[in-house]
Amino acid sequence: MYTEPAWFEREMETMFRPAWHFAGLASSIRNPGDFLTLRLLDEPLLVVRGDDQQVRVFRNSCRHRGSLIIDEQAGTCRGLRCPYHSWTYSLEGVLKHAPGLGDYSREELSGLGKDLLLVPCGVREGLIFVHLGDLANSPTLDAYLGNYISTVAAPHQTAQMIAVNQREYVLDSNWKLYVEVDMETLHTKHIHRGSIGEQPVTVPVSEGNWIGVYHESEHTPALYPSQQGSGFPHTSGLTGAAAKGAHFSILLPGFFLVTAQDVMWWIHKIPDSATRTRVRVGYSFPASTIERPDFDEVSKRYYQRLDQVIEEDDWITEHQQRGLNRSAPGSYLPEEHVVHRLDNWILDRVLGA
Ligand code: FES
Ligand SMILES: [Fe+2]
């Protein structure tokens, strides 16, 4: 399951293609012309806010001869111009100018069927999701997310969050090892001895394609135990369980999102192959926190603690991959029951229920 290319291909076909994937925060493209780019399932994508305020996702691929259109990870533009031969598209993806095509009028250009290719997308509580498979044979976005938005995202005010720190890198490990480590607390007192310590959790009822754990505590999970009390105030408007603790959720297959009282962060696992995983990490806070005069100083404490725990998990997943034995199965302990559930979800899809 963790090394074979044939198994990996089945995962792509049965889980990743039919899934809805996180692409970014709507707050990162607040104004018309704001864009962000990413690569998902080997597809280059371009997420843009149009002049009509709509968020759209396009294949970041020119309709002339397929060049990447935009290379920057994020920015602002007035239109979308391919650098190769300068075909130019509007923010809505309409081909506006095609040098070399002679004196075609705008109307004739639009009749060529060479507008940018749209990718199905949707925004829920500030989270942008995209779909890269056969939509006709996949669940709708709302069916896919089930009760995640009403149970976790909305009570945690995810729509208020603004990304302040993002990075992407590659690990030599199977993507599942990293979602598994996110869903068990057995390792925290070993791997995160100096950074988290013990973190008891309960399991919220999840409907749809997510699995999570909930840690009830008045303390934020995003600061070292010794620095509790020196963090930011709670996000305004938290309700229910969101006001009293943090949810650690996997939006299946690979998007890990932590919604705490004062911060939201994600560790998105994007498989490149059976043994290589691209990891996109993002930290976000509400605007009222980012505007504080002490933001730069206090946020450093969050980054230090979050970076350390992520580095510890990065390390153990690569370390685990190197030791996997193909001929002898492992085992789950009672504290790993969420991992067991997660792996059964995967087996049901790859092998069929
Ligand atoms: S490939 Fe984009 S303009 Fe030619
Ligand atoms: Fe961990």
Side-chain angles (χ1 to χ4, degrees):
M1 287 176 64
Y2 300 92
T3 52
E4 290 299 328
W7 184 279
F8 179 77
E9 288 308 318
R10 282 285 293 160
E11 288 180 342
M12 290 294 119
E13 196 184 303
T14 60
M15 299 190 314
F16 283 88
R17 288 278 162 197
W20 287 87
H21 302 275
F22 175 72
L25 298 185
S27 61
S28 298
I29 49 167
R30 196 176 291 284
N31 300 307
D34 290 352
F35 67 83
L36 57 93
T37 64
L38 72 158
R39 206 171 180 92
L40 267 181
L41 313 190
D42 225 15
E43 306 264 14
L45 302 177
L46 173 58
V47 186
V48 190
R49 174 92 56 181
D51 282 318
D52 57 359
Q53 291 293 338
Q54 288 295 310
V55 172
R56 289 183 184 78
V57 180
F58 302 108
R59 306 225 178 231
N60 189 4
S61 177
C62 180
R63 296 302 309 283
H64 175 215
R65 276 167 51 205
S67 165
L68 193 66
I69 298 172
I70 292 190
D71 200 14
E72 295 89 339
Q73 285 189 339
T76 300
C77 62
R78 307 244 314 268
L80 307 166
R81 188 180 72 85
C82 174
Y84 200 166
H85 316 92
S86 293
W87 279 31
T88 307
Y89 307 84
S90 72
L91 298 176
E92 290 74 37
V94 177
L95 180 63
K96 289 289 188 198
H97 187 55
L101 260 183
D103 48 5
Y104 272 65
S105 67
R106 290 254 161 117
E107 291 68 36
E108 285 166 326
L109 280 180
S110 73
L112 292 176
K114 289 287 185 180
D115 293 344
L116 290 183
L117 294 176
L118 268 170
V119 176
C121 74
V123 182
R124 298 290 181 276
E125 294 296 324
L127 309 171
I128 305 171
F129 294 94
V130 294
H131 193 282
L132 291 163
D134 172 14
L135 199 56
N137 289 307
S138 305
T140 63
L141 175 58
D142 292 315
Y144 196 83
L145 296 173
N147 67 342
Y148 180 77
I149 298 296
S150 61
T151 306
V152 181
H156 277 286
Q157 299 286 327
T158 55
Q160 284 193 45
M161 296 296 161
I162 296 172
V164 289
N165 196 325
Q166 298 186 79
R167 61 184 183 273
E168 181 173 323
Y169 52 93
V170 176
L171 293 180
D172 287 324
S173 63
N174 183 277
W175 67 277
K176 292 187 293 299
L177 297 182
Y178 212 143
V179 289
E180 289 166 0
V181 80
D182 288 334
M183 285 294 106
E184 53 103 332
T185 49
L186 189 62
H187 77 288
T188 49
K189 53 186 171 288
H190 306 283
I191 298 301
H192 306 305
R193 217 174 359 239
S195 51
I196 307 181
E198 294 208 46
Q199 197 167 266
V201 294
T202 54
V203 181
V205 175
S206 56
E207 292 151 18
N209 295 286
W210 69 283
I211 288 178
V213 295
Y214 172 70
H215 174 57
E216 183 173 331
S217 172
E218 59 181 290
H219 297 307
T220 176
L223 286 176
Y224 292 114
S226 62
Q227 292 185 332
Q228 288 299 338
S230 67
F232 292 125
H234 287 187
T235 303
S236 61
L238 301 178
T239 54
K244 295 185 193 139
H247 282 93
F248 300 75
S249 312
I250 302 279
L251 278 72
L252 294 155
F255 180 52
F256 179 57
L257 183 61
V258 184
T259 43
Q261 295 107 311
D262 50 348
V263 57
M264 174 173 94
W265 76 93
W266 59 89
I267 310 170
H268 194 179
K269 291 76 161 157
I270 302 168
D272 277 347
S273 74
T275 54
R276 274 171 75 83
T277 301
R278 247 159 351 100
V279 182
R280 294 177 79 213
V281 173
Y283 305 154
S284 62
F285 294 95
S288 54
T289 295
I290 295 169
E291 285 156 10
R292 289 169 63 95
D294 62 353
F295 179 74
D296 286 343
E297 183 200 331
V298 177
S299 60
K300 274 189 211 131
R301 297 201 269 272
Y302 283 79
Y303 301 155
Q304 202 185 0
R305 148 66 182 78
L306 294 171
D307 287 352
Q308 182 182 341
V309 172
I310 290 171
E311 280 162 24
E312 287 162 349
D313 285 330
D314 287 352
W315 173 78
I316 195 59
T317 54
E318 288 192 314
H319 187 82
Q320 182 183 10
Q321 181 81 35
R322 284 160 54 209
L324 289 176
N325 183 317
R326 287 162 189 247
S327 57
S331 48
Y332 299 109
L333 305 192
E335 277 179 78
E336 296 163 303
H337 63 102
V338 187
V339 179
H340 184 230
R341 202 173 135 208
L342 174 71
D343 287 344
N344 274 325
W345 184 90
I346 293 168
L347 288 174
D348 282 348
R349 274 145 194 88
V350 175
L351 301 178

